[in-house]
């Protein structure tokens, strides 16, 4: 695994008028962003979208708000990342080695970029938006998100994401829910030990940071577990006529603001380590190697959803 700063540098060149938008978007990091936008949102990002975002207009190329004003802080963050990159790569590699022992990491490239999501991990690229306020305020969060998104890269090698437009039947929605529970659950779990060791267990300022507050509270976690089971029932077609039969409703259950797959997925993996058989870290590593359906078939009972897998068999 390595850190490559060329995408961020090219973005700065683009802002200075020294590089066309189309050339920037052909960089491997921005090609990954474009692939992610098409896969997840059905949007083909182009130069006009980038230019609109930089102007401050509405654009599907999000994550660029106030980028011109933030440039001094962005440059300072890039300097911090440069100074810490060797240590962070070693720490990220060790964290990933717990969930995926022996899995090759050398093909993974971490790209600080400007714009788009806080982070994505797709096709061997980890792209992290250095214009995100959380990184600007707390550079150590870049390390934790590096681990989070690299987990997606390793997971996606074995279980690639299908285009969401192809998900139609209840069994397909439920299978997607299981896949995202495993994928996002491991991504939240992978930096958990390092966060606990350093006392960086988040706060209420952002949903990503709130994940770890929820996981630290038995009372809050109980609500998420119950909500997760109800979401599974609805996706399986067992809920009432509450609007979740439509596509937007089902998308909200899988990807919505409650982040059920992230929080319940991480808790499930923690329980696998404690109760899932095979002995602690070995059980966790074995669970990472499964498909989403296999994962829930083997371990869903730990969060009370055994039996739903029959719809995806």
């Amino acid at each position: 695994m390595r850190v490559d700063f060329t995408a961020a540098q090219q973005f700065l060149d683009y802002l200075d008028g020294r590089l066309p938008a189309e050339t920037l978007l052909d960089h491997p990091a921005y090609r990954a962003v474009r692939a992610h936008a098409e896969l997840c949102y059905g949007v083909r990002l182009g130069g006009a979208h980038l230019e609109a975002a930089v102007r401050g207009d509405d654009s599907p190329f999000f994550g660029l708000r106030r980028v011109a004003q933030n440039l001094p802080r962005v440059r300072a963050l890039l300097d911090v990342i440069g100074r810490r990159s060797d240590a962070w790569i070693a720490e990220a590699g060790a964290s990933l080695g717990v969930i995926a022992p022996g899995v090759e990491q050398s093909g993974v490239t971490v790209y600080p970029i400007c714009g788009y999501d806080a982070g994505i991990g797709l096709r061997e690229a980890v792209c992290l938006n250095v214009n995100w306020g959380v990184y600007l305020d707390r550079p150590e969060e870049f390390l934790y998100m590096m681990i989070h998104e690299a987990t997606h890269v390793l997971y996606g090698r074995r279980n690639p994401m299908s285009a969401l437009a192809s998900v139609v039947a209840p069994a397909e929605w439920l299978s997607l829910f299981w896949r995202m529970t495993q994928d996002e659950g491991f991504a939240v779990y992978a930096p958990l030990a390092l966060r606990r060791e350093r006392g960086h267990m988040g706060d209420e300022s952002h949903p990503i940071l709130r994940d770890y507050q929820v996981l630290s509270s038995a009372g809050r976690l109980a609500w998420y577990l119950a909500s997760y089971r109800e979401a599974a029932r609805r996706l399986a077609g067992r809920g009432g006529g509450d609007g979740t039969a439509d596509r937007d409703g089902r998308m909200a259950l899988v990807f919505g603001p409650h982040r059920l797959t992230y929080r319940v997925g991480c808790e499930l993996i923690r329980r696998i380590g404690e109760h899932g058989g095979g002995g602690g870290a070995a059980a966790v590593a074995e669970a990472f190697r499964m498909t989403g359906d296999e994962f829930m078939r083997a371990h869903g009972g730990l969060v009370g959803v055994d039996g739903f897998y029959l719809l995806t068999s």
Side-chain angles (χ1 to χ4, degrees):
M1 191 159 45
R2 64 190 180 92
V3 179
D4 183 325
F5 289 90
T6 56
Q9 184 56 59
Q10 287 191 16
F11 183 87
L12 297 177
D13 291 343
Y14 158 74
L15 280 187
D16 287 341
R18 298 197 299 270
L19 192 75
E22 291 74 15
T23 302
L24 174 65
L25 293 179
D26 196 44
H27 186 283
Y30 285 102
R31 287 204 300 268
V33 165
R34 290 161 61 198
H36 187 275
E38 187 163 3
L39 180 67
C40 294
Y41 308 119
V43 175
R44 292 191 174 187
L45 293 176
H49 296 124
L50 176 60
E51 291 160 6
V54 170
R55 288 195 306 268
D57 298 339
D58 288 340
S59 172
F61 205 121
F62 52 92
L64 285 168
R65 189 162 62 92
R66 296 178 54 83
V67 66
Q69 297 93 319
N70 287 341
L71 275 183
R73 299 183 71 203
V74 166
R75 293 181 187 276
L77 175 59
L78 290 171
D79 182 63
V80 170
I81 296 167
R83 287 187 280 108
R84 299 185 183 177
S85 60
D86 288 347
W88 281 357
I89 286 291
E91 290 166 339
S95 295
L96 294 168
V98 172
I99 62 170
V103 172
E104 181 59 50
Q105 299 179 20
S106 63
V108 180
T109 303
V110 178
Y111 295 104
I113 66 169
C114 284
Y116 204 61
D117 211 342
I120 65 167
L122 185 69
R123 300 179 182 176
E124 303 299 298
V126 169
C127 304
L128 305 176
N129 178 14
V130 292
N131 190 51
W132 190 39
V134 172
Y135 299 146
L136 295 174
D137 292 339
R138 313 176 201 185
E140 68 275 4
E141 290 295 332
F142 190 94
L143 164 62
Y144 301 133
M145 191 60 74
M146 180 193 308
I147 298 169
H148 181 118
E149 298 301 341
T151 300
H152 289 321
V153 170
L154 300 186
Y155 180 88
R157 289 175 181 171
R158 295 178 56 87
N159 299 303
M161 182 84 156
S162 299
L164 295 179
S166 67
V167 180
V168 178
E172 293 168 339
W173 281 107
L174 203 57
S175 188
L176 174 65
F177 196 46
W178 300 155
R179 184 207 180 279
M180 298 310 298
T181 298
Q182 184 187 28
D183 191 6
E184 297 295 359
F186 268 104
V188 175
Y189 180 86
L192 177 59
L194 198 59
R195 281 183 173 275
R196 280 181 171 155
E197 176 187 318
R198 298 180 178 179
H200 294 157
M201 289 298 289
D203 57 29
E204 298 298 319
S205 65
H206 191 279
I208 291 174
L209 300 178
R210 194 175 301 126
D211 289 344
Y212 295 95
Q213 290 287 290
V214 170
L215 291 162
S216 300
S217 167
R220 292 176 72 176
L221 190 57
W223 183 90
Y224 281 91
L225 289 165
S227 298
Y228 181 88
R229 291 189 289 268
E230 178 60 20
R233 282 191 287 273
R234 292 176 181 175
L235 289 168
R238 299 182 184 180
D242 58 0
T244 55
D246 65 273
R247 187 169 191 85
D248 288 345
R250 291 184 184 276
M251 287 287 286
L253 290 175
V254 179
F255 299 104
H258 292 312
R259 294 172 65 85
L260 296 175
T261 58
Y262 297 77
R263 295 165 184 176
V264 173
C266 183
E267 174 63 11
L268 173 52
I269 295 157
R270 187 193 67 77
R271 293 182 181 188
I272 290 169
E274 291 185 353
H275 311 293
V284 169
E286 181 183 8
F288 187 75
R289 293 191 292 268
M290 297 175 176
T291 66
D293 289 355
E294 291 167 346
F295 175 73
M296 293 304 291
R297 183 180 297 121
H299 301 294
L302 293 173
V303 290
V305 294
D306 51 321
F308 284 112
Y309 74 84
L310 294 172
L311 287 171
T312 62
S313 297

